[in-house]
């Protein structure tokens, strides 16, 4: 899908996110999404966590992982990324502070789904590597979204209420 005219990039305190809004002609289901990153051990190097898509009413629709070419970041193993989920907390005092808190809460609220999403991504990529070389697969423009899962907030809240983590 073509990107709308603007992209927001925010980074602070070791975490980053970008926001992409779809053009009106492609926004029937997804209005836009956030790509979320965490600063890796190397200064200035950000590791990709996942993306969260939103409806036109700004309701969460789905989490998804993408191929490396989409974000321009090297793909890290699920194990490496999962180890960073507990510490994901965007802390800022700028005008995007409410958004940072909301994204942080969404990452924590959907942690089990995010872990499963990352493991599924690794499994699907490994299967595909039996037919294609890893480096070529990571740059294959036909492979963009690798593993999606629901981000339905009312359903997740009901799961918490019933203690179905």
């Amino acid at each position: 899908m073509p990107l709308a005219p603007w992209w927001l990039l925010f980074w602070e305190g070791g975490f980053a996110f970008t926001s992409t809004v779809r053009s009106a002609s492609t926004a029937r289901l997804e209005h836009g999404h956030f790509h979320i990153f965490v600063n890796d051990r190397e200064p200035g190097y950000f590791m990709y966590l996942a993306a969260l898509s939103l409806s036109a009413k700004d309701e969460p629709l789905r989490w998804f992982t993408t191929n490396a070419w989409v974000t321009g970041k090297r793909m890290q193993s699920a194990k490496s990324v999962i180890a960073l989920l507990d510490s994901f907390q965007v802390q800022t005092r700028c005008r995007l502070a409410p958004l940072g808190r909301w994204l942080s809460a969404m990452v924590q609220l959907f942690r089990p789904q995010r872990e499963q999403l990352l493991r599924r991504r690794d499994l699907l990529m490994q299967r595909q590597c039996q037919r294609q070389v890893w480096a070529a697969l990571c740059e294959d423009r036909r492979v963009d979204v690798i593993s999606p899962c629901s981000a339905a907030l009312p359903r997740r809240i009901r799961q918490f209420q019933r203690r179905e983590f």
Side-chain angles (χ1 to χ4, degrees):
M1 289 189 246
L3 298 179
W6 64 274
W7 238 54
L8 166 72
L9 176 61
F10 169 83
W11 64 90
E12 187 171 317
F15 301 97
F17 58 87
T18 62
S19 173
T20 305
V21 177
R22 299 291 182 197
S23 65
S25 64
T26 61
R28 286 190 318 266
L29 297 176
E30 178 191 316
H31 176 66
H33 57 266
F34 293 98
H35 289 281
I36 304 169
F37 306 85
V38 62
N39 197 348
D40 198 6
R41 292 162 203 78
E42 301 172 38
Y45 176 78
F46 284 89
M47 181 187 302
Y48 179 61
L49 293 179
L52 177 61
S53 67
L54 303 174
S55 71
K57 295 179 182 179
D58 291 330
E59 297 167 338
L61 294 173
R62 69 181 180 149
W63 285 101
F64 61 95
T65 60
T66 63
N67 203 347
W69 70 265
V70 175
T71 61
K73 299 298 178 194
R74 192 174 48 195
M75 198 175 294
Q76 300 293 329
S77 72
K79 183 179 180 181
S80 297
V81 178
I82 289 168
L84 298 172
L85 288 178
D86 283 339
S87 64
F88 186 83
Q89 188 70 34
V90 177
Q91 296 179 352
T92 182
R93 289 182 239 171
C94 75
R95 64 186 175 93
L96 294 176
L99 177 59
R101 287 191 302 272
W102 182 79
L103 282 173
S104 298
M106 290 297 289
V107 167
Q108 297 309 321
L109 182 63
F110 285 90
R111 188 171 200 268
Q113 292 83 353
R114 296 270 311 103
E115 287 184 22
Q116 188 177 52
L117 188 76
L118 289 161
R119 288 187 183 107
R120 189 175 332 124
R121 178 207 64 189
D122 283 6
L123 179 64
L124 294 170
M125 290 294 280
Q126 288 300 328
R127 283 183 187 161
Q128 188 64 29
C129 276
Q130 294 171 5
R131 289 170 271 183
Q132 193 173 2
V133 176
W134 180 262
L137 177 60
C138 288
E139 296 302 320
D140 189 339
R141 303 283 180 176
R142 297 170 297 177
V143 181
D144 54 357
V145 173
I146 299 172
S147 58
C149 77
S150 173
L153 200 48
R155 182 183 328 144
R156 187 68 182 129
I157 291 170
R158 282 192 304 276
Q159 288 172 333
F160 260 87
Q161 289 169 338
R162 292 189 305 251
R163 299 192 190 310
E164 298 172 4
F165 305 116

